[in-house]
Structure formats: structure tokens, C-alpha cells
Amino acid sequence: MSDAGIDQGIDAGLLFAVSEATWPSAARRVEGPFVLRDGAGGGKRVSSALLAGPFSEAELDRVEPLLGPKPLFQVTQGQDDLDAALERRGYGIVDPSIFYIAPVENVARKPKPVSLLGVWPPLAIQRQIWADGGIGPARIAVMERAAGPRQAFVARFQNRAAGVGFVAIHKGVAMLHALHVEPAFRRQGVARYMVQGMADWAGQNGADQFSLIVTQRNSAARGLYSSLGMAEACTYHYREKTQ
């Protein structure tokens, strides 16, 4: 994807490290210049192979069979050689994604009492709402593996549970994951309210930056995050074997 509009002054390496720490895989092993991740069913971000240094075609040949019947690579911003090599091998692009970031104080707004509750471990109602949005037990297990300050949130509107989200902090950067608003409460400001309230929690728990990841195609979410003063910071996409 194009890097037009991306803020090149932001430390992309730090954001990828925050993503790894706050949404961790179940296991990792190093094979030459590649890091192979086992997500235990927790999704692409924790299950894809990463390139950690210069590589050769021979090393790529050796790694591919270790990735199972549908090899998957996460290609980060600037890894053009890997991207081209995978394209030649019949890998298609999947889920181009963007990191957004802003100073906590630019996003945070203290929520009204009992309208946004932080709970750990997640309650049954939170787990159910996540499940409704396709975020099942394997992704809850990812949250449980996160180190550092972490919190699961549930928003209450009209005396009903309206949405859920998860935030964890690494090296002063909070990252939001698994935001899901129930369909009946969408387009009513619930997502905005939750993001602002979760940023407030992050600031109270040692974070000075607030970040998240969104797919490029999710224009509604991107519009929300931009309206909250968050900047596009860096990008990545996946390459999955299609031939």
C-alpha cells in the first residue's frame, strides 16, 4: 500500500514492538532472519512470519515449508524486497493495515460514572459481545498473555452493554485492540466515547501515547480516529499463498 499521508517522523519500530507486547503470540522461534509465530488460533497478527533482517531466496525456501499449508507473512513498511519476492512466489496481499497514534492528552476524555467500566479479567457479558463480533476465546487468550498494565472495558448505554475494548501499555505507549460496538449502538457516538475513555485510563496508568491498528478498508473507523486527532504512523500488510 502507499505510504502517502504517513507521518514518517514516528518510530515505526516502537509501534511494532508495542503491538507485539500488547497482543502477543503464544510462541515464537527464530529461523535464520525470520521469526515464526504461533498464535494458537488468535488471528493473523500473532500467527504470521516476520522478517527481522536481510534474507536470501534460499532462506525463504527453507522457511516456507515450516509455515504449514497456507504460509502467511507480515510485511512491514520498508520491506520491499520481501514483498516482491513473495509476490513472485504467488502470495497475494491481505488486510493492508495502518497504525494510528496521538499523545494521550489529545484523545483522552474522562467518562461519566459507570458508563465505561474497566474490568479484569473480562466478564461473561464482555466475552459474549466479543464473540458476537467474531472475537472468540483464542483472542481472549491473546489478551491474557499481554504483559504490563492492561484492562478490558465495557460501555453501558441506555442501561445495556453497548461495546467492549481492550487496552494494554508497553514502554509508555498504550494500544487499543478488539474494539467492538454492538450493531444497535453504532453511529451513536459509542465508539468515540469508548476510545476517549480508554485513552483516559491509559493516561492514568503511565501512557503518554495512545495507538491502535485499523485495516485500510475500514474508512468509517479511520475517519473517527482522524477526527480524534490521531495520525497515521506506519503500515503493514500480509502476504498469503494464493497459488
Side-chain angles (χ1 to χ4, degrees):
M1 63 180 287
S2 170
D3 293 337
I6 300 295
D7 187 336
Q8 302 293 340
I10 293 172
D11 185 346
L14 174 60
L15 280 176
F16 280 103
V18 172
S19 176
E20 287 276 292
T22 61
W23 197 255
S25 55
R28 297 160 53 99
R29 80 178 193 269
V30 177
E31 294 286 347
F34 293 94
V35 178
L36 310 189
R37 299 183 290 183
D38 177 5
K44 292 189 290 293
R45 204 179 335 150
V46 290
S47 304
S48 48
L50 292 171
L51 178 63
F55 77 101
S56 68
E57 294 285 346
E59 287 165 325
L60 194 50
D61 287 338
R62 186 173 65 83
V63 164
E64 277 189 286
L66 303 178
L67 300 176
K70 293 193 71 175
L72 181 71
F73 290 83
Q74 185 185 51
V75 182
T76 63
Q77 186 173 310
Q79 293 181 336
D80 297 339
D81 290 345
L82 175 62
D83 203 35
L86 292 172
E87 184 174 24
R88 288 193 299 270
R89 291 170 181 244
Y91 285 76
I93 291 177
V94 180
D95 288 347
S97 299
I98 306 170
F99 284 90
Y100 278 74
I101 191 168
V104 162
E105 63 267 23
N106 289 9
V107 182
R109 183 175 179 180
K110 190 174 184 61
K112 299 175 183 177
V114 306
S115 62
L116 183 67
L117 305 177
V119 182
W120 190 263
L123 302 172
I125 185 61
Q126 290 170 289
R127 295 172 187 268
Q128 183 58 57
I129 294 173
W130 268 314
D132 293 344
I135 301 167
R139 284 176 169 82
I140 302 297
V142 176
M143 301 178 199
E144 292 168 345
R145 292 193 293 267
R150 62 185 176 183
Q151 191 64 284
F153 294 86
V154 57
R156 296 181 69 252
F157 280 75
Q158 300 172 10
N159 293 318
R160 291 176 55 194
V164 288
F166 172 76
V167 179
I169 301 172
H170 178 68
K171 292 188 176 181
V173 181
M175 189 165 283
L176 166 63
H177 304 275
L179 177 64
H180 177 70
V181 176
E182 290 280 70
F185 291 96
R186 292 175 186 170
R187 298 182 179 85
Q188 298 181 47
V190 174
R192 172 181 293 272
Y193 187 80
M194 291 184 68
V195 172
Q196 291 174 320
M198 288 184 285
D200 179 72
W201 174 89
Q204 293 182 36
N205 284 272
D208 53 25
Q209 298 286 320
F210 188 78
S211 65
L212 51 85
I213 301 170
V214 63
T215 57
Q216 185 183 27
R217 67 177 180 270
N218 193 343
S219 57
R222 291 175 62 190
L224 168 62
Y225 303 139
S226 294
S227 74
L228 288 169
M230 302 188 75
E232 297 182 12
C234 55
T235 66
Y236 68 87
H237 57 264
Y238 301 99
R239 284 278 186 178
E240 185 175 62
K241 194 79 166 182
T242 57
Q243 297 179 14

